[in-house]
């Protein structure tokens, strides 16, 4: 964000506690000092209000970054994203666009209860007119953020509170990571796991355990949910003949269902087993630590799903 | 901001010798109001003929609000309004052709036939749109004013809404942020006394909408619309406050719509007598009477009215004969640039 704000005077950051408090999760630490109150704007608790302010400012040529303290709170700004940001270009016949970034941590944190644990990407990824990205690694987080800020459309960046502490190397020459391109995290032969954000790390853990049992897993990290890199998904499934989708959020509909649809439609003849999904259990997220862990996708559930599709294939073949 | 403030010639007692500059100005405002009235009447007719679909919210009766307030603006200033947006679009300078073609869903419409009645946009005249979700455009309008302050471009934003929007969160969040950040914006509540079919008395605990300004610590104004020049002057004061001091104002303008909420509304919630009483106070009619009384001349008025008739007929003909939008527009108007890298 700092690099893009240095690069482009039109870019500014707005949200609750982004300035003087240095960010609820310290994401914007030092930015107020560097850019001043004109470009790092603290807001009152009014998501619908400041999301709308961002849309209006974007419409006349600024490039706002609107931070939601968490994506859960975007529910009260849903109207601004659905009805204004996503629709401006079309309902003006292409006269206006809306180059805005909405960002913040998404999905479960630790024991924050049902109202603060939503995987909101499933709601937003259905909306034509917006783009949705959900990086799992530090270099993608930086590169996709840059791509989002430079994009002339509304882009929703789904971060993860539990990944904020993740550390990693970023190449000096890293610039923009293009949206709509998945990342092949791990190559394998027996089953493809499609995941994104924190669940990619769960998939990596599951894959390591499965390797000990001689099951070779390929991991496709989507990075971008809309646009979706169906070519990468299909290419991997054509190779492994099996697919398990892992994400947070409920199993009804959502990104996993979308991936499953594309796989059955585009790689039907290569499939040895039905596409399975490992998602959050179909209940509001409980506070109790053990029950919360039970509801969230864990490596053991991923391992079980992979074994199911692999064994089915082997049993038939 | 009104003509009389800048007029150098001393004001005369006799109306017949009123400065011609001011009369010409009033004639121009009358022309704009009449254009809106006649466009709306033709739209109602086309709707009945099935040439316009969806919702159609007419501005008949409220013309003086858009025309008077926009007369206080500079061309580079912005306007943002609700789904009852035809009047504001025309007053801001959008052509009757672009409006009527949009209503007809044609490719030559301002939004290429993709927006319809509720979504009039015109980048050239800084008409930033009509919005269909009550109150949802109020924070957006504050954002446009935020951008003006951010860039120090000296522009003012007018944001229109009905009194029905005053109960929803978008109004309060938008006004609250504009007040907090001292944004150059004028919030204009077009209080037409009916929130769809619900009268004021059943929708608000305090009927004086301008009182809401007190809670946000911003300036307020409130008046009944009778004379379009008064609207220009009163809104002009708020525009000046926005432009020179970057301060928002909430103005409640009491007006009246002569038609139902939309074409599907027979307006049974009010009496015919009430409607007839209000029609006698029609600001459009009053402006014409004033022009005649003050010596603008019946023949010049007739010529002006004939020109409007021709303009409206041309707009309808243009809309009728224009092509439908091509399906290829759908993708390019959903995203700017390539969807995926």
């Amino acid at each position: 964000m700092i690099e893009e704000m240095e690069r482009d005077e039109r870019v500014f950051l707005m949200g609750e506690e982004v300035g003087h408090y240095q960010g609820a999760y310290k994401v914007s630490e030092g930015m107020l000092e560097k850019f001043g109150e004109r470009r790092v704007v603290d807001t009152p608790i009014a998501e619908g209000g400041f999301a709308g302010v961002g849309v209006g400012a974007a419409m006349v040529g600024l490039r706002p970054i609107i931070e939601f303290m968490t994506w859960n709170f975007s529910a009260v700004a849903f109207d601004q994203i659905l009805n204004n940001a996503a629709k401006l270009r079309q309902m003006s016949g292409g006269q206006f666009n809306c180059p805005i970034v909405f960002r913040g941590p998404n999905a479960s944190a630790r024991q924050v209860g049902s109202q603060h644990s939503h995987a909101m990407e499933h709601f937003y990824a259905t909306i034509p007119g917006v783009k949705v990205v959900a990086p799992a690694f530090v270099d993608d987080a930086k590169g996709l953020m840059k791509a989002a800020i430079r994009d002339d459309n509304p882009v929703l960046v789904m971060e993860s509170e539990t990944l904020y502490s993740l550390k990693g190397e970023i190449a000096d020459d890293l610039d923009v990571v293009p949206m709509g391109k998945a990342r092949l995290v791990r190559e394998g032969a027996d089953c493809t796991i499609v995941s994104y954000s924190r669940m990619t790390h769960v998939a990596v853990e599951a894959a390591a355990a499965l390797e000990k049992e001689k099951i070779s897993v390929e991991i496709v990290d989507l990075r971008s949910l809309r646009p979706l890199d169906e070519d990468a998904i299909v290419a991997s499934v054509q190779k492994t003949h099996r697919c398990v989708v892992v994400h947070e959020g409920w199993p009804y509909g959502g990104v996993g269902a979308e991936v499953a649809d594309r796989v059955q439609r585009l790689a039907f003849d290569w499939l040895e087993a039905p596409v399975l999904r490992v998602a959050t259990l179909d209940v509001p997220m409980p506070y109790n630590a053990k029950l919360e862990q039970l509801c969230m996708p864990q490596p053991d559930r991923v391992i079980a799903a992979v074994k199911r599709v692999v064994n089915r294939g082997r049993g038939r073949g | 901001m009104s003509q009389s403030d800048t007029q150098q010639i001393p004001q005369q007692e006799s109306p017949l010798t009123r400065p011609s500059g001011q009369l010409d100005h009033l004639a121009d405002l009358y022309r704009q109001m009449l254009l809106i009235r006649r466009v709306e009447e033709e739209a109602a007719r086309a709707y009945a003929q099935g040439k316009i679909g969806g919702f159609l919210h007419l501005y008949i009766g409220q013309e003086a609000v858009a025309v008077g307030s926009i007369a206080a603006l500079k061309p580079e200033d912005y306007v943002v309004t609700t789904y009852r947006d035809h009047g504001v679009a025309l007053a801001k300078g959008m052509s009757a052709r672009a409006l009527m073609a949009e209503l007809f869903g044609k490719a030559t419409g301002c939004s290429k036939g993709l927006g319809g009645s509720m979504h009039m946009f015109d980048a050239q005249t800084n008409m930033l749109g009509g919005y269909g979700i009550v109150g949802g455009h109020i924070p957006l309008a504050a954002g446009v004013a935020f951008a003006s302050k951010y860039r120090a471009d000296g522009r003012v934003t007018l944001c229109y809404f009905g009194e029905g929007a005053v109960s929803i969160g978008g109004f309060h969040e938008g006004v609250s942020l504009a007040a907090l950040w001292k944004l150059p914006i004028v919030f204009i509540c077009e209080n037409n006394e009916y929130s769809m079919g619900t009268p004021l008395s059943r929708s608000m605990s305090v009927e004086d909408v301008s009182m809401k300004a007190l809670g946000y610590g911003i300036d307020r104004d409130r008046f009944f619309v009778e004379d379009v020049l008064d609207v220009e002057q009163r809104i002009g004061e708020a525009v000046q406050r926005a432009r020179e001091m970057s301060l928002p104002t909430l103005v409640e303008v009491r007006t009246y719509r002569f038609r139902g909420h939309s074409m599907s509304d027979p307006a049974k919630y009010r009496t015919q007598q009430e409607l007839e009483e209000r029609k006698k106070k029609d600001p459009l009619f009053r402006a014409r009477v004033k022009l005649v009384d003050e010596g603008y001349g019946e023949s010049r008025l007739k010529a002006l009215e004939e020109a409007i008739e021709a303009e409206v007929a041309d707009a309808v003909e243009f809309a009728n004969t224009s092509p439908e939008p091509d399906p290829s527009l759908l993708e390019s108007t959903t995203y700017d640039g390539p969807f995926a890298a």
Side-chain angles (χ1 to χ4, degrees):
Chain A
M1 287 194 286
I2 290 172
E3 285 176 17
E4 291 303 303
M5 281 176 69
E6 284 170 339
R7 184 176 171 269
D8 187 343
E9 225 270 324
R10 298 169 301 174
V11 180
F12 66 92
L13 175 66
M14 174 179 279
E16 293 155 7
E17 312 288 5
V18 297
H20 291 274
Y21 193 87
Q22 309 290 322
Y25 299 96
K26 304 294 173 225
V27 171
S28 53
E29 198 164 22
M31 287 179 70
L32 175 68
E33 198 181 330
K34 189 167 178 61
F35 295 106
E37 286 184 341
R38 177 168 164 266
R39 298 184 68 197
V40 179
V41 186
D42 278 326
T43 68
I45 303 166
E47 280 82 6
F50 65 76
V53 165
V55 172
M59 188 181 180
V60 292
L62 297 185
R63 302 183 84 85
I65 304 170
I66 302 297
E67 174 173 315
F68 292 121
M69 191 181 286
T70 82
W71 272 100
N72 297 288
F73 311 144
S74 77
V76 295
F78 191 66
D79 176 54
Q80 290 299 333
I81 298 173
L82 173 72
N83 281 310
N84 289 343
K87 302 295 194 294
L88 264 178
R89 183 167 169 81
Q90 196 254 21
M91 65 186 181
S92 68
Q95 293 182 78
F96 293 96
N97 61 11
C98 189
I100 190 170
V101 173
F102 295 100
R103 52 156 290 272
N106 179 51
S108 66
R110 281 187 196 87
Q111 283 193 273
V112 291
S114 62
Q115 294 187 327
H116 286 70
S117 300
H118 289 114
M120 298 297 288
E121 74 277 20
H122 303 288
F123 300 109
Y124 292 115
T126 65
I127 305 172
V130 303
K131 299 182 181 183
V132 183
V133 299
F137 300 102
V138 289
D139 48 354
D140 288 338
K142 181 179 180 186
L144 285 169
M145 179 65 70
K146 280 174 165 284
I149 294 168
R150 292 185 203 176
D151 202 276
D152 288 328
N153 301 285
V155 183
L156 284 53
V157 182
M158 303 287 170
E159 300 163 6
S160 165
E161 185 187 328
T162 44
L163 291 183
Y164 279 149
S165 56
L166 190 72
K167 289 191 166 47
E169 292 290 319
I170 296 180
D172 288 339
D173 60 348
L174 176 86
D175 193 33
V176 167
V177 171
M179 282 180 267
K181 292 278 178 240
R183 173 174 180 155
L184 191 60
V185 175
R186 176 194 167 105
E187 289 198 65
D190 300 327
C191 178
T192 297
I193 295 180
V194 177
S195 61
Y196 55 89
S197 190
R198 198 173 72 76
M199 287 301 111
T200 292
H201 299 276
V202 170
V204 167
E205 206 179 319
L210 286 161
E211 192 173 26
K212 290 177 188 150
E213 301 184 41
K214 304 277 188 274
I215 297 172
S216 164
V217 169
E218 179 149 305
I219 299 175
V220 176
D221 174 41
L222 293 175
R223 298 198 284 198
S224 165
L225 308 179
R226 173 184 271 274
L228 187 65
D229 188 355
E230 67 181 21
D231 291 347
I233 299 167
V234 168
S236 178
V237 173
Q238 285 176 343
K239 187 172 123 188
T240 65
H241 309 292
R242 296 164 193 92
C243 182
V244 170
V245 192
V246 186
H247 62 62
E248 288 198 71
W250 299 304
Y252 194 116
V255 174
E258 179 64 27
V259 171
D261 169 65
R262 301 213 195 188
V263 170
Q264 65 83 21
R265 211 157 22 88
L266 302 167
F268 184 76
D269 292 333
W270 284 268
L271 279 177
E272 295 279 352
V275 178
L276 294 188
R277 291 181 293 154
V278 179
T280 304
L281 297 189
D282 202 14
V283 294
M285 188 67 84
Y287 160 73
N288 176 275
K290 285 180 184 156
L291 290 180
E292 182 188 41
Q293 293 298 311
L294 178 75
C295 288
M296 282 161 48
Q298 304 291 347
D300 60 341
R301 272 211 279 146
V302 178
I303 290 166
V306 170
K307 283 183 175 172
R308 226 176 111 197
V309 295
V310 168
N311 291 335
R312 179 195 163 95
R314 283 181 179 158
R316 280 199 331 174
Chain B
M1 292 300 286
S2 73
Q3 282 298 105
S4 57
D5 293 339
T6 53
Q7 188 56 254
Q8 295 302 307
I9 305 163
Q11 201 77 277
Q12 302 292 312
E13 285 301 313
S14 164
L16 290 175
T17 54
R18 230 166 157 178
S20 65
Q22 185 168 352
L23 262 194
D24 286 346
H25 179 61
L26 179 59
D28 181 46
L29 300 185
Y30 170 68
R31 189 192 61 75
Q32 291 181 45
M33 291 194 289
L34 183 63
L35 175 66
I36 295 169
R37 176 73 53 97
R38 290 294 299 118
V39 162
E40 296 291 62
E41 286 170 352
E42 289 307 312
R45 190 204 305 264
Y47 190 86
Q49 293 169 343
K51 290 183 174 175
I52 297 173
F55 298 129
L56 183 67
H57 307 89
L58 299 179
Y59 202 63
I60 293 174
Q62 299 177 222
E63 298 91 341
V65 181
V67 171
S69 56
I70 289 168
L73 293 185
K74 294 178 180 176
E76 64 267 29
D77 291 332
Y78 299 113
V79 295
V80 182
T81 189
T82 67
Y83 47 84
R84 197 179 303 284
D85 57 352
H86 308 170
V88 170
L90 290 172
K92 197 70 176 69
M94 198 172 101
S95 74
R97 277 186 164 201
L99 187 136
M100 197 61 83
E102 187 60 34
L103 292 176
F104 280 51
K106 297 298 182 71
T108 52
C110 62
S111 299
K112 299 191 169 72
L114 305 179
S117 166
M118 297 186 286
H119 307 307
M120 298 292 170
F121 286 79
D122 188 30
Q124 284 210 324
T125 58
N126 290 316
M127 163 59 177
L128 300 189
Y131 294 82
I133 307 298
V134 170
H137 67 297
I138 298 174
L140 182 149
V144 173
F146 178 90
S148 285
K149 188 165 186 179
Y150 187 94
R151 287 192 287 230
D153 64 12
R155 299 186 190 196
V156 173
T157 299
L158 296 190
C159 175
Y160 303 84
F161 48 91
E163 81 284 358
V166 171
S167 297
I168 205 166
F171 166 79
H172 295 277
E173 295 191 26
V175 174
S176 158
L177 293 175
L180 177 68
W181 293 330
K182 296 185 166 53
L183 302 180
I185 187 166
V186 183
F187 297 103
I188 300 175
C189 176
E190 294 187 77
N191 186 343
N192 62 20
E193 302 186 17
Y194 289 92
S195 167
M196 199 161 161
T198 307
L200 276 179
S201 57
R202 288 200 292 115
S203 63
M204 270 184 284
S205 57
V206 178
E207 285 192 23
D208 181 344
V209 171
S210 75
M211 293 279 281
K212 309 285 184 199
L214 299 176
Y216 299 109
I218 63 172
D219 286 296
R220 67 187 178 119
D221 195 4
R222 184 185 199 223
F223 58 93
F224 283 82
V225 175
E226 291 173 351
D227 182 342
V228 64
L229 290 171
D230 284 347
V231 177
E232 181 184 8
Q233 200 220 319
R234 298 287 280 266
I235 299 294
E237 289 167 12
V239 168
Q240 191 175 6
R241 193 176 301 125
R243 198 180 319 277
E244 292 173 6
M245 293 182 278
S246 193
L247 289 174
T249 306
L250 173 62
V251 185
E252 178 187 3
V253 181
R254 290 293 288 264
T255 178
Y256 201 80
R257 66 174 145 75
F258 294 164
R259 307 289 291 244
H261 167 72
S262 69
M263 291 301 289
S264 60
D265 171 20
K268 286 179 177 165
Y269 40 80
R270 58 189 186 190
T271 64
Q272 194 61 31
Q273 189 189 358
E274 175 184 316
L275 182 59
E276 291 309 321
E277 282 301 311
R278 292 312 189 98
K279 281 189 174 174
K280 286 180 196 158
K281 295 178 183 168
D282 182 0
L284 175 72
F285 178 65
R286 292 168 72 116
R288 192 182 197 285
V289 169
K290 193 168 181 178
L291 284 167
V292 173
D293 286 353
E294 301 193 2
Y296 185 75
E298 191 68 39
S299 63
R300 285 169 77 192
L301 274 172
K302 281 271 181 329
L304 179 155
E305 287 159 357
E306 278 167 21
I308 292 289
E309 285 309 310
E311 186 176 347
V312 174
D314 166 74
V316 173
E317 173 65 12
F318 176 75
N320 247 329
T321 54
S322 285
E324 304 267 343
D326 191 84
S328 65
L329 268 177
L330 294 174
E331 268 189 43
S332 64
T333 52
T334 300
Y335 290 98
D336 192 358
F339 174 44

